[in-house]
C-alpha cells in the first residue's frame, strides 16, 4: 500500500502529470527534452535492473527517482531474471520472478510469459508450415495472461507498461474494443510511451472513432494525430500537423521528414515523395526505416539502377532487416523474377510476421505467378495486420475478379473504395465489376465519379462512353468521347492510338448521322492519322463528299441534344462543352 498513488521510480502521479502535460503549442522544448530523457530512463529500468541503482539520473524537470522498498527486495531476482531474459530463456526468467512484489518485476514476469508463448508459437511453425500459415497458430499463454492481468486491472494495480502489455494480449485475442480502452488508459498512465500510441493507431478504423477517444492532453498527442491522419488518408490534415511540428522546433527531425514523404506517397505525389526520401538519405545515410516505402516509389517509376543501388546499400548496412528484404524483393520483382521476389518477402515475414508491406507485396507476386490461392491468403494476412490497408482489399478484389467471382470482388472493391474514396482506380474497378454484374446504372455513376475525382489512368470516360455506346445511348456516348478527347489533347499526353482513334471513329459517325458534316469531316481527317482507323476515316470522307455533292447542307442546329447541353435522359452529370475543335492539335 505504500506505493499506491506512485509511479515508476518513486515519482508521484501528480508530479508525473505536471511534468508530462505540456501545451500542444510546444512552448518549452527544454522541458520536452527532459521528459524524453526521463522516459528513456524508465524504459531502461524495465529491461535493465542495474539502472535502478543510478540515482543521479534526472527525472521530469530535475526530480530524482527514489527506490521503493519492494524494488530493493526484488533487485537480485530482477538481475538474475533479466540475464535469462537476455538469453531468451523466458520460462526460466519468469520462474525466478514468482512472488516478486514490485511493479518492475511483475512487468518482466508477465512479459517473459508472453514472449515465451510467442517463441513456442513460432517454433511450432518454423519446420512444418510456411509464413502463409503462420497466422493460424495461437499463443497458448494469452488466455492465462488475460485472466491474471484483468484481475490486477480491476483493482487498479497496473502501471503504464503493464497496461500496454495487457492491451497487446487483448489485441492478440481479437478483443479489439477492450484493447482500445486499455491502450487509451495506458497513454494516460504513461503518455510518452510511443508503443501504446502505435498500438492504438492500428485499432482505429475511422475519424469518428478517433474523435470519440479521450486522449491525454500531452504534446505527444500531436505526433499521434499526425500519424493517425496519414493512416486514415487525411493527407491534407496530416501535412498541416507535421508543418506545425516543424515550426514548433522539430525541423531537424528525420522522423517527421520520413512521415511527410510517406504522406506524399499515399496520395501518389511521387516526385515530391522521392525528393523527400532523397533528402532523408542525405541527412541519415544509414537509415533503414521507411526504405521499403522508398523502394515502392522507385519500383513504380521503374528506376532500376536507383533501386539496385538502394538494395546493395541496405545489404551492406544490415541484410537481415525486414525493410532490406522488402527492398530486395521489389528489385527482383522489377526484373520480373517473381519467384525470387516472393522468396525475399517470405524472408521478411520470418523476421516479422506482422510486416504489412511484405504480406501485400507477396500477394502481388503470387498474382504475377498466377497462384491465386496463395495470393488470397497473403492479402488476408495483410488485412489481419491492418484492416486499413486498401492495397490488400484491392488485391483481393483483383484476385476474385480473375476467378470470375464478381460478387466477392465487388465486396472487396467496395472496402478499398471506402478507404480511398477519391482514388479513381478503386472507382474504375468498381464500375467494371458493376458492369459485369449488369448493374449498369451503378457502373455509370462509378465511371463518372472516377473522372470527377481525377482519373489517374484516364480510362474512366472511355469506359463510360463505351457503356453508353453498348446501350445505344448515342448522345451520352458522344458527350463522353468529346470530353475524353479534349482532356487528352489539352494535357498533351501521348496515349495508345487505339483509345483516341476509337473516340474519333465514333464521333465521326455520330456527327455524320446528325448531319454535322464539318465536324464529321474533321474527325475523319484525324482518323487518317492512325493506322487502325485510316480506312474508316477515308470511307467517311468519301461519304461526306458524296452527300455534299448532292447539295445536302449541314445541320444548322449548333446545340445538338445531350452533346452540347445537359443530359436530360440520363443520371450521369455532365458539364457544358463547346463543339469539338481539333484543328490546332496534332496527335
Amino acid at each position: 500500500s505504500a506505493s499506491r498513488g506512485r509511479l515508476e521510480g518513486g515519482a508521484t502521479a501528480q508530479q508525473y502529470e505536471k511534468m508530462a502535460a505540456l501545451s500542444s503549442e510546444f512552448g518549452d522544448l527544454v522541458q520536452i527534452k527532459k521528459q524524453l530523457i526521463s522516459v528513456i530512463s524508465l524504459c531502461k529500468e524495465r529491461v535493465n535492473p542495474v539502472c535502478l541503482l543510478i540515482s543521479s539520473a534526472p527525472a521530469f524537470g530535475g526530480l530524482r527517482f527514489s527506490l521503493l522498498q519492494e524494488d530493493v527486495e526484488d533487485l537480485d531476482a530482477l538481475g538474475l531474471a533479466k540475464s535469462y531474459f537476455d538469453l531468451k530463456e523466458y520460462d526460466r526468467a519468469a520462474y525466478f520472478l514468482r512472488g516478486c512484489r514490485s511493479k518492475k518485476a511483475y512487468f518482466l514476469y508477465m512479459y517473459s510469459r508472453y514472449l515465451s508463448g510467442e517463441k513456442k508459437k513460432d517454433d511450432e511453425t518454423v519446420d512444418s508450415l510456411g509464413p502463409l500459415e503462420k497466422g493460424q497458430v495461437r499463443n497458448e499463454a494469452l488466455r492465462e495472461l488475460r485472466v491474471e492481468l484483468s484481475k490486477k486491472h480491476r483493482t487498479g494495480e497496473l502501471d503504464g507498461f503493464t497496461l500496454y502489455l495487457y492491451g497487446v494480449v487483448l489485441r492478440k485475442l481479437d478483443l479489439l474494443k477492450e484493447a482500445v480502452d486499455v491502450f487509451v488508459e495506458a497513454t494516460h498512465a504513461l503518455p510518452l510511451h510511443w508503443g501504446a500510441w502505435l498500438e492504438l493507431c492500428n485499432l482505429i478504423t475511422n475519424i469518428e472513432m478517433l474523435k470519440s477517444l479521450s486522449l491525454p492532453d500531452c504534446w505527444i498527442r500531436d505526433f499521434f494525430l499526425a500519424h493517425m491522419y496519414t493512416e486514415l488518408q487525411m493527407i491534407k490534415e496530416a501535412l498541416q500537423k507535421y508543418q506545425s511540428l516543424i515550426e514548433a522546433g522539430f525541423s531537424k527531425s528525420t522522423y517527421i521528414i520520413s512521415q511527410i514523404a510517406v504522406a506524399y506517397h499515399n496520395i501518389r505525389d511521387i516526385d515530391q515523395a522521392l525528393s523527400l526520401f532523397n533528402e532523408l538519405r542525405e541527412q541519415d545515410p544509414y537509415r533503414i526505416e521507411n526504405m521499403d516505402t522508398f523502394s515502392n516509389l522507385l519500383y513504380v517509376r521503374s528506376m532500376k539502377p536507383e533501386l539496385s543501388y538502394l538494395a546493395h546499400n541496405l545489404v551492406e548496412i544490415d541484410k537481415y532487416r525486414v525493410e532490406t528484404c522488402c527492398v530486395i524483393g521489389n528489385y527482383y520483382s522489377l526484373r520480373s523474377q517473381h519467384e525470387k521476389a516472393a522468396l525475399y518477402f517470405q524472408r521478411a515475414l520470418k523476421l516479422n510476421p506482422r510486416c504489412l508491406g511484405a504480406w501485400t507485396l507477396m500477394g502481388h507476386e503470387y498474382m504475377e505467378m498466377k497462384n491465386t490461392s496463395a495470393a488470397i491468403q497473403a492479402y488476408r494476412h495483410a488485412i489481419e495486420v491492418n484492416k486499413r490497408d486498401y492495397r490488400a482489399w484491392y488485391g483481393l478484389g483483383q484476385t476474385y475478379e480473375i476467378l470470375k467471382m464478381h460478387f466477392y470482388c465487388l465486396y472487396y472493391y467496395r472496402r478499398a473504395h471506402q478507404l480511398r474514396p477519391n482514388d479513381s482506380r478503386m472507382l474504375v474497378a468498381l464500375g467494371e465489376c458493376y458492369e459485369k454484374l449488369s448493374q449498369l446504372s451503378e457502373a455509370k455513376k462509378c465511371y463518372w465519379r472516377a473522372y470527377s475525382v481525377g482519373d489517374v489512368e484516364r480510362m474512366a470516360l472511355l469506359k463510360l462512353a463505351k457503356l453508353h455506346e453498348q446501350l445505344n445511348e448515342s448522345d451520352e456516348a458522344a458527350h463522353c468521347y468529346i470530353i475524353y478527347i479534349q482532356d487528352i489533347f489539352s494535357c498533351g499526353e501521348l496515349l495508345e492510338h487505339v483509345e483516341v482513334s476509337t473516340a474519333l471513329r465514333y464521333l465521326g459517325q455520330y456527327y455524320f448521322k446528325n448531319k454535322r458534316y464539318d465536324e464529321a469531316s474533321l474527325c475523319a481527317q484525324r482518323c487518317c492519322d492512325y493506322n487502325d482507323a485510316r480506312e474508316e476515316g477515308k470511307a467517311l470522307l468519301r461519304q461526306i463528299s458524296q452527300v455534299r455533292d448532292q447539295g445536302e447542307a449541314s445541320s444548322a442546329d449548333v446545340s445538338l441534344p445531350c452533346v452540347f447541353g445537359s443530359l436530360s435522359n440520363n443520371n450521369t452529370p455532365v458539364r457544358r462543352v463547346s463543339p469539338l475543335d481539333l484543328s490546332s492539335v496534332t496527335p
Side-chain angles (χ1 to χ4, degrees):
S1 61
S3 64
R4 216 165 262 198
R6 300 173 68 84
L7 294 172
E8 301 75 26
T12 66
Q14 290 77 14
Q15 289 170 329
Y16 183 90
E17 289 173 3
K18 180 180 178 181
M19 296 301 170
L22 191 67
S23 168
S24 60
E25 295 179 358
F26 302 93
D28 191 349
L29 293 178
V30 175
Q31 185 71 9
I32 289 176
K33 185 176 181 179
K34 289 180 179 179
Q35 291 176 26
L36 291 172
I37 293 173
S38 300
V39 170
I40 291 170
S41 178
L42 289 177
C43 292
K44 286 180 178 178
E45 287 178 9
R46 295 293 161 149
V47 294
N48 188 0
V50 177
C51 292
L52 287 170
L53 300 176
I54 304 176
S55 59
S56 59
F60 301 114
L63 292 174
R64 296 182 187 278
F65 290 130
S66 60
L67 284 176
L68 300 177
Q69 181 62 33
E70 58 190 24
D71 291 329
V72 176
E73 293 173 356
D74 294 342
L75 192 57
D76 290 342
L78 263 173
L80 179 61
K82 181 56 175 58
S83 298
Y84 293 138
F85 185 90
D86 290 341
L87 293 170
K88 298 186 178 180
E89 297 184 41
Y90 301 121
D91 288 329
R92 203 174 180 188
Y95 178 80
F96 285 98
L97 288 170
R98 294 172 305 129
C100 292
R101 296 189 302 115
S102 69
K103 291 186 176 182
K104 296 176 182 65
Y106 183 71
F107 170 78
L108 191 59
Y109 171 63
M110 300 302 284
Y111 191 40
S112 296
R113 291 173 60 188
Y114 166 76
L115 289 180
S116 172
E118 288 293 297
K119 185 173 183 293
K120 290 172 183 175
K121 180 189 75 171
D122 290 342
D123 290 345
E124 285 181 20
T125 61
V126 70
D127 295 325
S128 59
L129 300 175
L132 285 175
E133 292 80 20
K134 180 170 278 192
Q136 299 174 2
V137 183
R138 295 289 182 181
N139 182 343
E140 297 298 332
L142 292 177
R143 297 187 183 280
E144 291 181 10
L145 291 172
R146 182 206 170 196
V147 171
E148 295 181 35
L149 287 168
S150 64
K151 292 178 181 178
K152 293 271 188 179
H153 182 240
R154 283 194 293 269
T155 58
E157 297 180 57
L158 300 184
D159 61 15
F161 290 104
T162 320
L163 280 168
Y164 164 75
L165 179 59
Y166 183 31
V168 171
V169 169
L170 291 172
R171 192 254 300 160
K172 288 269 187 177
L173 290 170
D174 293 325
L175 300 171
L176 304 184
K177 185 177 183 300
E178 295 91 332
V180 169
D181 295 337
V182 171
F183 282 129
V184 170
E185 189 177 346
T187 60
H188 280 275
L190 195 63
L192 300 189
H193 182 208
W194 185 238
W197 292 98
L198 285 181
E199 286 287 349
L200 186 59
C201 173
N202 290 332
L203 297 176
I204 295 173
T205 55
N206 53 58
I207 186 62
E208 290 75 20
M209 184 178 178
L210 176 61
K211 290 179 179 178
S212 69
L213 299 179
S214 176
L215 302 174
D217 186 16
C218 176
W219 58 266
I220 201 170
R221 183 174 63 174
D222 283 356
F223 282 85
F224 169 73
L225 290 175
H227 184 84
M228 200 66 248
Y229 290 149
T230 305
E231 290 291 312
L232 294 174
Q233 307 299 325
M234 300 169 60
I235 304 302
K236 181 180 178 181
E237 292 82 355
L239 292 175
Q240 290 175 347
K241 185 68 73 174
Y242 281 126
Q243 186 59 39
S244 68
L245 291 173
I246 290 174
E247 294 170 356
F250 293 93
S251 58
K252 295 182 180 180
S253 170
T254 53
Y255 165 79
I256 291 180
I257 295 175
S258 68
Q259 287 298 105
I260 294 175
V262 169
Y264 280 117
H265 164 269
N266 288 354
I267 58 173
R268 298 179 65 82
D269 190 340
I270 298 177
D271 292 333
Q272 188 67 29
L274 283 172
S275 174
L276 286 167
F277 272 119
N278 285 322
E279 178 186 340
L280 187 64
R281 293 268 292 166
E282 290 178 5
Q283 293 187 22
D284 193 357
Y286 293 94
R287 179 189 180 96
I288 295 181
E289 291 86 353
N290 304 115
M291 289 301 106
D292 50 339
T293 304
F294 184 30
S295 73
N296 291 341
L297 294 165
L298 297 175
Y299 179 94
V300 170
R301 281 293 172 86
S302 299
M303 300 171 71
K304 194 178 294 184
E306 290 83 354
L307 185 53
S308 173
Y309 175 78
L310 178 65
H312 282 88
N313 183 238
L314 294 184
V315 168
E316 290 178 359
I317 298 171
D318 188 348
K319 66 179 179 179
Y320 294 113
R321 281 285 291 270
V322 172
E323 295 89 344
T324 302
C325 294
C326 288
V327 171
I328 297 173
N330 272 335
Y331 171 68
Y332 280 121
S333 180
L334 188 58
R335 296 183 59 181
S336 298
Q337 295 178 255
H338 300 297
E339 291 82 2
K340 277 191 175 182
L343 183 66
Y344 275 95
F345 293 134
Q346 289 175 358
R347 185 175 296 180
L349 291 167
K350 287 180 181 178
L351 294 169
N352 180 11
R354 287 185 58 80
C355 178
L356 174 65
W359 282 119
T360 306
L361 293 171
M362 190 162 70
H364 296 342
E365 296 310 308
Y366 282 131
M367 285 282 286
E368 293 289 343
M369 293 186 283
K370 312 300 182 187
N371 189 344
T372 54
S373 176
I376 288 172
Q377 284 185 297
Y379 288 136
R380 289 191 186 281
H381 279 296
I383 291 169
E384 286 179 11
V385 174
N386 187 348
K387 289 182 172 58
R388 294 190 307 271
D389 182 25
Y390 77 93
R391 298 171 302 170
W393 292 107
Y394 184 68
L396 277 172
Q398 288 181 310
T399 308
Y400 281 108
E401 189 172 8
I402 290 173
L403 297 173
K404 300 188 184 305
M405 301 171 70
H406 301 305
F407 281 107
Y408 279 85
C409 76
L410 178 63
Y411 169 76
Y412 293 116
Y413 282 147
R414 277 176 173 169
R415 293 298 298 266
H417 170 59
Q418 288 170 2
L419 293 168
R420 300 271 290 190
N422 293 322
D423 192 322
S424 63
R425 295 168 301 167
M426 313 298 139
L427 287 160
V428 169
L430 263 178
E432 291 175 338
C433 194
Y434 278 125
E435 196 172 341
K436 289 170 182 174
L437 291 170
S438 300
Q439 299 183 32
L440 303 183
S441 176
E442 295 299 321
K444 292 178 190 177
K445 292 176 184 176
C446 288
Y447 289 143
W448 183 261
R449 173 67 178 162
Y451 168 71
S452 302
V453 299
D455 185 14
V456 293
E457 295 176 341
R458 299 193 178 276
M459 292 296 295
L461 276 177
L462 197 66
K463 290 180 178 295
L464 180 58
K466 289 180 178 179
L467 182 56
H468 285 307
E469 191 177 346
Q470 292 171 12
L471 296 172
N472 295 318
E473 299 171 352
S474 57
D475 292 339
E476 292 86 344
H479 191 105
C480 292
Y481 279 131
I482 288 172
I483 302 175
Y484 170 73
I485 290 181
Q486 288 176 335
D487 285 349
I488 293 298
F489 287 152
S490 64
C491 66
E493 292 187 11
L494 294 176
L495 295 186
E496 292 293 331
H497 288 174
V498 65
E499 298 170 354
V500 178
S501 61
T502 298
L504 289 170
R505 273 200 304 260
Y506 183 86
L507 286 173
Q509 293 295 335
Y510 174 81
Y511 283 128
F512 182 78
K513 289 176 183 177
N514 286 278
K515 300 183 179 180
R516 294 293 299 272
Y517 301 126
D518 292 340
E519 286 85 350
S521 176
L522 179 59
C523 290
Q525 290 172 19
R526 290 296 180 217
C527 284
C528 295
D529 295 328
Y530 303 98
N531 292 331
D532 60 312
R534 183 171 292 122
E535 294 305 319
E536 292 183 45
K538 290 179 179 178
L540 181 58
L541 285 173
R542 286 194 294 269
Q543 286 181 285
I544 295 170
S545 178
Q546 291 173 3
V547 170
R548 282 176 168 168
D549 289 343
Q550 295 172 5
E552 186 172 342
S554 294
S555 171
D557 185 3
V558 296
S559 181
L560 288 172
C562 301
V563 180
F564 305 111
S566 61
L567 293 178
S568 57
N569 298 321
N570 184 43
N571 293 328
T572 307
V574 296
R575 66 189 184 197
R576 184 176 297 275
V577 295
S578 58
L580 185 63
D581 181 11
L582 302 178
S583 57
S584 59
V585 179
T586 302

